[in-house]
Amino acid sequence: MLAVSSFCFIAAPAAEADNLLIWSPAKVSPNTYQATVGFRLPMTWETSAGADLGLGATRAGALLPDAERATLWGKLADENVTPASRARQEVAVRVDTLRGSGTLLLSRSRNFIFSENLDMELSRALSVGYAKADTRPASLDVSQAIKLIYPWTGTALSARGAVTDTRGDFSTTLAISQNILPNLDLSASLTDPISSGKTGDVRLRYQVRW
């Protein structure tokens, strides 16, 4: 059974606040630039808002429409961490001012130690999307997932169920991952395992950090 969680927001000043300005520019290609600008507010909840901007051009100076970005965003998040668990709830909104689309996301997750040999993760989310170009007024996605982690063996099992759009399309995904080496992981997933259109995926990932 899928459930939608309720969220509460407490606007209380925090004692101290550092790094209130968000500024992250990037050069994507020789003639394409992107930047994230915004600010954080010193409140009990992690509160931030800003914009993702982008602009690109050809070598001749003509603008590239696909490289243009002007997305407004905002986020409220609360995280509670204890030695045995971590809980987080978040409200996020994004509005693409160039393409006339937007999304509202409500999510909640909890990680905790279930037993000496087992950790557990629970998550649920509700997403409402709007696109001006679509004939449908809005899209609605509701999902819920559970993940079992065996820390001593590096094995993780997960299951996810989701209802997509107002038509009530339901999908499920089962997955397993195994840590083989410190930087090497093997994972496999199966989507809609009891339907005729089931699909599978196997991946081997090697991660290098420097």
Side-chain angles (χ1 to χ4, degrees), residues 130-181:
Y130 171 80
K132 185 178 180 180
D134 291 347
T135 56
R136 293 173 298 175
S139 62
L140 178 66
D141 298 331
V142 182
S143 63
Q144 185 163 318
I146 181 173
K147 187 175 184 179
L148 306 178
I149 304 170
Y150 300 88
W152 305 116
T153 62
T155 306
L157 306 173
S158 64
R160 180 180 183 272
V163 176
T164 304
D165 292 330
T166 55
R167 295 174 299 177
D169 296 336
F170 182 74
S171 65
T172 58
T173 302
L174 304 177
I176 181 173
S177 64
Q178 177 64 53
N179 178 245
I180 302 175
L181 295 172

Side-chain angles (χ1 to χ4, degrees), residues 47 104 139 155 206:
T47 307
L104 171 65
S139 62
T155 306
Y206 182 77

Side-chain angles (χ1 to χ4, degrees), residues 41-105:
L41 295 178
M43 309 179 78
T44 301
W45 278 46
E46 177 189 334
T47 307
S48 58
D52 293 336
L53 307 175
L55 190 64
T58 63
R59 291 186 177 181
L63 293 178
L64 298 173
D66 294 340
E68 295 180 346
R69 298 178 63 191
T71 301
L72 304 178
W73 55 266
K75 182 177 71 173
L76 303 174
D78 179 49
E79 189 171 73
N80 183 22
V81 180
T82 68
S85 67
R86 182 179 66 182
R88 180 180 177 87
Q89 50 187 349
E90 182 175 316
V91 181
V93 61
R94 296 183 66 87
V95 178
D96 189 332
T97 61
L98 297 179
R99 298 164 183 81
S101 62
T103 57
L104 171 65
L105 174 66

